[in-house]
Amino acid sequence: MKTWLITGCSSGLGKSLAQKVLEHGDQAVVTARNPDTVQHFRESFPETAYPLQLDVHKDDEAAGCIAGAIEHFGKIDVLVNNAGYCLRGAVEECSFEEIRKQFETNFFGTLRMIQHVLPHMRRQKSGVIINFSSIAALRTAEGSAFYGASKCAVEGLSDGLRKEVGPLGIQVIVVEPGPFRTDFFGRSIAVNENNIGDYKNTAGKRKVRLANPEDSGMKGWGDNSRAAEVIITAADNAAHGKEFPFRLLLGSCAVRLAEEVYAARAAETAKWKELSIQTDAD
């Protein structure tokens, strides 16, 4: 039986993952900024669900959450950094306060949890860290530059981290979801209110919240429960020394986008190769 600690369990993929983990018979520390939103897990799984309050902005809450999880269950086998949101607005429009808050949640919140869990995982010489990224790290749309930048930072962090902790028995997975039927397009969107006319037809068109995610026009919607099963499979493989992906794409939309992005980058590299290599020293 593994023990999972999952951030952002009040809704969306975090909620679905927590549900599936518990249904599988594992233990789960289910966290949210408002602990009332995750109490139902304890009602359904009184022996294996442990709800805790966690705002990833707060170092004392992150440390307390890790300590509380270990005190309650004795270990943490899988850390899932899922908590996050998307700031919508043009680069020029967004304030530094908004930008810092975006990175404080998506990047520094992830980093904070990792730094607090690693001493425990190093002692037990095992563990899996799963960091949620996004297809926005592959191709960032107008109006989401800071969201994409924060997820690119998560990926760079994760790539370096896996090479540091892999020899210690700790594995790292980055999850790159495509579109899912969650409240991401509604409650998880922060809309910048500084509207500059020149961006009306680019970033301005994306400064919306959607009650119905499918109104976004994106294709290839994923199923939350199936995504949870896929993540559990990858984590199980990583925990048991089997082959697993470092970058785990979720959904056919994500796969298509990755194929397009990688092919385009390979073509661009080949096209400009002769110019690029002119920098080599004789």
Side-chain angles (χ1 to χ4, degrees):
M1 179 187 295
K2 291 194 296 298
T3 299
W4 297 59
L5 192 160
I6 307 169
T7 70
C9 294
S10 63
S11 63
L13 289 174
K15 180 178 181 180
S16 296
L17 179 58
Q19 181 72 28
K20 282 296 179 183
V21 163
L22 291 163
E23 289 176 359
H24 272 249
D26 282 345
Q27 300 172 146
V29 182
V30 288
T31 73
R33 284 182 298 171
N34 179 0
D36 291 342
T37 62
V38 291
Q39 289 301 322
H40 64 93
F41 287 113
R42 172 171 271 173
E43 296 167 6
S44 300
F45 303 93
E47 300 298 321
T48 54
Y50 185 43
L52 284 179
Q53 178 175 318
L54 174 62
D55 183 342
V56 297
H57 288 188
K58 300 177 179 178
D59 193 69
D60 59 339
E61 288 194 11
C65 185
I66 298 293
I70 295 170
E71 181 180 359
H72 189 80
F73 287 127
K75 61 176 183 171
I76 299 172
D77 299 301
V78 185
L79 168 67
V80 181
N81 287 303
N82 165 69
Y85 74 99
C86 176
L87 170 63
R88 288 277 173 87
V91 169
E92 185 181 354
E93 292 173 333
C94 295
S95 69
F96 268 79
E97 181 180 358
E98 291 172 311
I99 299 162
R100 288 190 182 101
K101 185 177 179 182
Q102 174 79 113
F103 274 81
E104 185 61 42
T105 300
N106 293 1
F107 177 72
F108 288 108
T110 293
L111 173 59
R112 188 171 285 118
M113 295 301 294
I114 290 170
Q115 288 192 332
H116 282 299
V117 83
L118 277 177
H120 168 70
M121 288 186 172
R122 283 192 293 105
R123 282 193 297 270
Q124 67 186 19
K125 294 181 172 56
S126 66
V128 180
I129 297 172
I130 300 175
N131 297 328
F132 266 71
S133 178
S134 166
I135 54 173
L138 296 170
R139 179 186 294 164
T140 304
E142 61 272 34
S144 296
F146 296 114
Y147 176 68
S150 70
K151 293 303 186 179
C152 285
V154 167
E155 297 214 358
L157 167 69
S158 302
D159 198 13
L161 175 67
R162 66 176 176 143
K163 296 159 189 170
E164 297 171 357
V165 300
L168 308 178
I170 303 165
Q171 308 304 327
V172 179
I173 298 172
V174 169
V175 177
E176 296 176 332
F180 283 81
R181 293 179 178 87
T182 69
D183 66 354
F184 176 85
F185 293 94
R187 188 169 65 91
S188 295
I189 296 289
V191 177
N192 166 269
E193 296 182 357
N194 177 25
N195 298 311
I196 297 175
D198 283 344
Y199 302 117
K200 179 180 179 180
N201 293 320
T202 52
K205 288 186 175 181
R206 291 173 50 78
K207 295 172 79 168
V208 294
R209 297 184 183 91
L210 302 174
N212 180 6
E214 295 185 4
D215 289 343
S216 68
M218 297 183 75
K219 306 296 182 183
W221 290 88
D223 179 89
N224 294 358
S225 293
R226 291 181 179 180
E229 293 281 6
V230 167
I231 293 169
I232 291 170
T233 297
D236 283 345
N237 287 352
H240 294 103
K242 299 179 182 178
E243 192 173 9
F244 67 94
F246 167 57
R247 290 183 175 86
L248 176 60
L249 293 157
L250 294 183
S252 58
C253 176
V255 171
R256 285 196 304 271
L257 178 62
E259 290 172 342
E260 291 172 5
V261 169
Y262 297 148
R265 184 158 190 178
E268 184 180 45
T269 300
K271 179 178 180 179
W272 296 102
K273 176 181 176 181
E274 294 305 318
L275 179 63
S276 298
I277 64 176
Q278 290 178 25
T279 61
D280 292 352
D282 293 336

